[in-house]
Amino acid sequence: MSTAEEVLWTQWIGDKCQLARDAIFEMYRCWSEFESLRLSKKLRISGVESADFLSFGHEGLLHAIYNFDPDAGYMFQTYAQYRVKGNILNQVFKYSDQSQAYSKLRGKESTNSSQDTLIDKVNSETELVSLIDAFAMQYLLEQEITEPASNSLSGCFSSPEMDCLRLQCKDKVQLLPTQQRTVLNLHYFDFLDFQDISILLDLSASRISQIHKDGLRSLAKHVNGS
């Protein structure tokens, strides 16, 4: 990241300077439009024009600008790429003539949730422990950090210790190998399903499922070892 861009991010993150935000947008606008048009040629969805792809891409870029953390350790364009493509996918299938068919497809897939993909034939006690660890990591990633309330019931699932473990689990995701980290980030933090992720990464949905499963098990090792 150039010094000039670092200054813009500081002004935007620290002072919420709208001019800085607009400058960052302009800096990456041509790139987002290139990605949008490339995706439009790849998908070729009836009823959705190139201008729609550009508009959805711009929207995704703005989402990325609003949510990006410059201290996270990765480049903005890498982060924004998934936001731009993810927003395009969500919008074009929502408004296209194929939306009904796509909804049916996703409804069918939802019956085979990410939790179901973890279930394997367990051949040993070690595999059973690994499977339990993976389910635990999935649970922690799916939960929000709770706000303390005076009238809330205390318990093992709402304790400060549990919230600390959730935070630790989410932080450890960034230590995973690239593919595993990317899939878990897109699935749990950007709320994309395996089908959407497979399109973004040019991999099959079954491969994404396997990477997701491996990522949860790798995450468990990081958390248990910390």
Side-chain angles (χ1 to χ4, degrees):
M1 184 181 296
S2 67
T3 302
E5 185 176 349
E6 288 180 356
V7 171
L8 290 174
W9 280 111
T10 300
Q11 292 174 340
W12 166 238
I13 299 296
D15 304 326
K16 293 302 176 185
C17 174
Q18 301 299 310
L19 291 177
R21 182 205 62 185
D22 293 345
I24 295 171
F25 179 86
E26 287 301 320
M27 188 177 294
Y28 290 96
R29 181 174 60 83
C30 289
W31 164 79
S32 76
E33 291 176 353
F34 173 79
E35 292 293 324
S36 301
L37 291 175
R38 187 170 66 171
L39 196 57
S40 72
K41 294 177 180 178
K42 180 177 180 180
L43 294 178
R44 296 184 181 279
I45 295 177
S46 175
V48 184
E49 300 178 355
S50 297
D52 296 319
F53 278 85
L54 291 175
S55 177
F56 298 146
H58 289 164
E59 187 178 71
L61 179 58
L62 280 174
H63 288 325
I65 292 172
Y66 273 94
N67 291 279
F68 180 63
D69 179 5
D71 298 324
Y74 43 82
M75 301 296 292
F76 172 72
Q77 187 169 314
T78 302
Y79 174 81
Q81 180 179 20
Y82 300 118
R83 287 278 182 168
V84 168
K85 291 184 178 180
N87 190 68
I88 290 172
L89 289 173
N90 287 336
Q91 296 298 332
V92 297
F93 285 122
K94 180 179 179 181
Y95 292 108
S96 73
D97 295 335
Q98 298 179 14
S99 60
Q100 186 175 4
Y102 183 69
S103 296
K104 290 181 179 179
L105 173 63
R106 293 187 67 165
K108 180 179 179 181
E109 290 172 348
S110 66
T111 61
N112 300 317
S113 66
S114 57
Q115 191 176 62
D116 294 333
T117 65
L118 295 174
I119 300 177
D120 292 321
K121 182 178 180 180
V122 178
N123 297 314
S124 68
E125 182 177 344
T126 300
E127 290 184 11
L128 178 59
V129 171
S130 176
L131 182 60
I132 293 172
D133 280 344
F135 275 123
M137 293 304 102
Q138 179 172 309
Y139 171 79
L140 290 171
L141 288 173
E142 289 175 342
Q143 302 306 305
E144 295 294 333
I145 305 302
T146 59
E147 293 291 337
S150 57
N151 61 349
S152 63
L153 298 175
S154 60
C156 60
F157 295 110
S158 60
S159 67
E161 291 82 4
M162 181 60 76
D163 282 347
C164 182
L165 184 57
R166 290 182 183 124
L167 283 171
Q168 182 187 59
C169 179
K170 292 177 180 181
D171 287 342
K172 296 290 186 182
V173 169
Q174 309 312 320
L175 301 178
L176 299 178
T178 301
Q179 274 195 329
Q180 295 177 11
R181 181 177 69 249
T182 299
V183 169
L184 293 191
N185 277 328
L186 290 173
H187 188 57
Y188 292 105
F189 305 145
D190 289 329
F191 310 108
L192 298 183
D193 63 20
F194 291 166
Q195 187 67 28
D196 287 345
I197 297 173
S198 71
I199 295 174
L200 287 176
L201 302 184
D202 288 324
L203 296 171
S204 67
S206 61
R207 177 59 183 148
I208 296 299
S209 174
Q210 182 62 51
I211 294 171
H212 167 260
K213 184 191 306 180
D214 294 341
L216 291 177
R217 287 174 169 166
S218 298
L219 182 61
K221 293 179 181 178
H222 278 288
V223 172
N224 291 333
S226 58

